Amino acid sequence: MVPELLGNPPGEDTGYKLRLDLGIWRHSCSNHYSFNCQETPSFTVLHQSPLDEGHDIQEEDKELKINWKRVATTSLFGFGFVGPVGHYWYEGLDRYIRLRLCLQPNSFRFVATKVAIDGFIFGPLDLLVFFTYMGFSAGKSFPQVKENVKRDFVPALMLEGGVWPIVQVANFRYIPVRYQLLYVNFFCLLDSCFLSWIEQQEDAPWKQWLNSLLPSKEKRGQGG
């Protein structure tokens, strides 16, 4: 019975040969990942990704193909937007809450207010700019970019909304302001993988379902 289960040819007595055929499940997994580290004089930027569209592990030679144009494009996004905007955002947010709202640093209200403002302003802005920038950099037209943003923005925002608040609670409570962007950069590395995966899903059923949770113009019209 055991030889039959293992697929051992009848009459072979030299031992069983076990093979793990990676090709069986390779096509069911995403083979695109994203990571990049870009340093500037005053802060470190870790964001979107080299291993993305067009990167494939070939079965024949097992060589890793990297789309360096994609690397440069996503690196520019981190260098030109996430780095400088995030740098001034965290400093300005801390100053605003301490001086204008007069909240005690590291108190519950202080941290909760920071997390709320960051989640409602910077988080959506980052996603909007990312999907728009990546669409235009891929040579898509304005209508195509608009449709892709409508398709990807809400699912990404809803899923990230369950993770980033936890990350930012620890950040705003325990990390000094001058190191907060550096702390966030590690999670941006993971986030870049996630956002690339979101793009690759295109019109996946689960994305359509998440988008359907929001009231559309047709639903509002039918409601009165």
Side-chain angles (χ1 to χ4, degrees), residues 57-101:
I57 301 177
Q58 303 295 334
E59 285 183 325
E60 297 80 8
D61 53 12
K62 301 295 190 298
E63 291 183 0
L64 186 64
K65 305 298 182 181
I66 299 178
N67 186 332
W68 291 107
K69 180 179 179 181
R70 178 77 172 188
V71 175
T73 300
T74 52
S75 297
L76 284 175
F77 176 77
F79 181 80
F81 178 78
V82 178
V85 174
H87 175 71
Y88 292 109
W89 167 257
Y90 287 118
E91 288 189 351
L93 179 62
D94 185 80
R95 189 180 304 110
Y96 173 79
I97 294 178
R98 284 189 297 104
L99 303 180
R100 298 294 297 273
L101 300 184

Side-chain angles (χ1 to χ4, degrees), residues 18-35:
L18 301 179
R19 296 187 305 160
L20 178 61
D21 188 358
L22 299 179
I24 294 176
W25 52 266
R26 189 182 72 87
H27 294 291
S28 65
C29 303
S30 172
N31 52 10
H32 305 286
Y33 302 88
S34 301
F35 58 86

Side-chain angles (χ1 to χ4, degrees), residues 30 40 53 80 92-94 100 102 112 136 168-169 171 189 200:
S30 172
T40 67
E53 294 180 355
L93 179 62
D94 185 80
R100 298 294 297 273
C102 300
F136 282 123
Q168 295 293 40
V169 165
N171 189 25
L189 173 65
Q200 295 157 22

Side-chain angles (χ1 to χ4, degrees), residues 89-90 93 111-127 153 157 160-161 164-165 168 172:
W89 167 257
Y90 287 118
L93 179 62
V111 174
T113 303
K114 263 192 170 184
V115 171
I117 295 177
D118 182 78
F120 282 105
I121 297 179
F122 187 77
L125 177 64
D126 177 66
L127 291 177
F153 178 80
L157 183 64
E160 289 196 342
W164 276 108
Q168 295 293 40
F172 296 142

Side-chain angles (χ1 to χ4, degrees), residues 131 143-155 207 211:
F131 287 127
Q144 289 176 315
V145 172
K146 182 179 179 180
E147 288 302 314
N148 288 346
V149 170
K150 289 173 60 178
R151 179 195 67 195
D152 297 334
F153 178 80
V154 171
K207 291 172 69 174
N211 281 315

